[in-house]
Amino acid sequence: MSTPTADSARASLEALRAEIAKAVVGQDPAVTGLVVALLCRGHVLLEGVPGVAKTLLVRTLAACLELGTKRVQFTPDLMPSDVTGSLVYDSRSAEFSFQPGPVFTNLLLADEINRTPPKTQASLLEAMEERQVTVDGTARPLPEPFLVAATQNPVEYEGTYPLPEAQLDRFLLKLIVPLPSREEEIDVLTRHANGFNPSDLYAAGVRPVAGPADLEAARAAVAKTAVSPEITGYVVDICRATRDSPSFSLGVSPRGATALLAASRAWAWLTGRDYVIPDDVKALALPALRHRVQLRPEAEMEGVTADSVITSILARVPVPR
């Protein structure tokens, strides 16, 4: 089989949208965000109320890309070893052997990650950052590609634990999965009335349209996407403005600036350009930054949101020509 070119890889990834639409109605921004994260070797946090197809979206993406996927339902009694794996005693050999946890996969679906206490949430930190798991002093590498797609309910729901800032910062993007429009909801119900079974994606007509080789070719092309000094300065100015904002008690870190630049490059390449423009930065600013800031309590009481503050910053920071 021939090695995919950058153009053929882009075409394959563009075909994802139509293929995923066979199982998931709407949610184009979430689909795009997941593809951007894969290109950047990043991770995604999907936030939405129960029942808006967050889990189905991730499962369908894995099926379309021929990637291995495993799902972990995060619950209050989940232990870190339930995610990473543990040493198990084999009575026949009288030795301990490592039993890999579900994190050893290409696409890990961490379902309702904010329903488990911070200790278990933190068990993913090493896997997300170092792409390895250390058990009993031995580091074990994770497969490539590796992406954590975590879902969470909005924080005002009962029984949730806010994610620690250190872990939030490990997610490349935070994507909001909204309720469908009336027309989209009618489409969902019509599909179910006609026999659609979300547990059987193959029966829904979902087929692989790209593979790991396409992903590697795409990543290599994204790495060559040009970034001018003016664009770099624009990204830095946006992130520094969040640190100076009176509405935020915590602004975007340098890691957040790096994430915004990486996501902007991937988006520029996906749209057919080999260079980044300011509109690429603006398009990815909200999903790349909204989870890296903290509102002051008085701003929250006034109904201010992170998105509204970042949007006002984008309107205020001078755009390079």
Side-chain angles (χ1 to χ4, degrees), residues 75-298:
T75 57
D77 59 349
L78 191 75
M79 299 296 291
S81 59
D82 295 331
V83 179
T84 60
S86 58
L87 294 176
V88 177
Y89 183 73
D90 187 340
S91 58
R92 289 173 294 183
S93 62
E95 292 180 347
F96 284 93
S97 61
F98 178 66
Q99 185 69 36
V103 75
F104 286 86
T105 187
N106 296 124
L107 207 164
L108 177 69
L109 175 59
D111 217 357
E112 295 189 304
I113 191 172
N114 61 337
R115 289 218 181 266
T116 198
K119 181 179 179 181
T120 304
Q121 293 173 5
S123 66
L124 280 175
L125 282 177
E126 182 187 14
M128 293 171 69
E129 189 69 15
E130 308 296 335
R131 297 179 184 273
Q132 66 179 26
V133 167
T134 301
V135 176
D136 196 35
T138 302
R140 294 173 169 85
L142 295 170
E144 183 63 37
F146 173 70
L147 178 143
V148 174
T151 71
Q152 71 170 14
N153 297 316
V155 291
E156 62 267 18
Y157 270 63
E158 290 185 15
T160 60
Y161 300 83
L163 291 175
E165 287 78 14
Q167 184 161 359
L168 280 172
D169 211 32
R170 297 307 198 278
F171 286 101
L172 179 79
L173 304 174
K174 178 182 177 182
L175 306 172
I176 306 301
V177 185
L179 288 165
S181 66
R182 182 176 185 273
E183 291 72 23
E184 289 172 340
E185 196 163 0
I186 288 173
D187 191 358
V188 171
L189 267 63
T190 302
R191 292 186 184 196
H192 280 268
N194 291 334
F196 172 69
N197 179 5
S199 300
D200 190 351
L201 295 176
Y202 191 84
V206 175
R207 301 290 184 271
V209 294
D214 296 293
L215 203 52
E216 277 308 305
R219 286 173 169 178
V222 168
K224 296 175 183 175
T225 302
V227 180
S228 68
E230 291 78 13
I231 291 293
T232 305
Y234 183 50
V235 170
V236 169
D237 290 343
I238 291 170
C239 294
R240 291 181 71 86
T242 66
R243 301 170 206 160
D244 298 332
S245 171
S247 298
F248 290 144
S249 59
L250 177 70
V252 176
S253 69
R255 180 192 281 134
T258 303
L260 175 55
L261 185 61
S264 301
R265 290 178 90 182
W267 174 245
W269 180 81
L270 276 173
T271 52
R273 274 179 283 102
D274 60 358
Y275 57 92
V276 180
I277 62 175
D279 283 350
D280 300 323
V281 178
K282 289 182 177 181
L284 273 299
L286 286 178
L289 303 182
R290 60 165 58 109
H291 56 299
R292 305 176 192 274
V293 295
Q294 263 189 5
L295 284 167
R296 294 188 185 278
E298 53 269 30

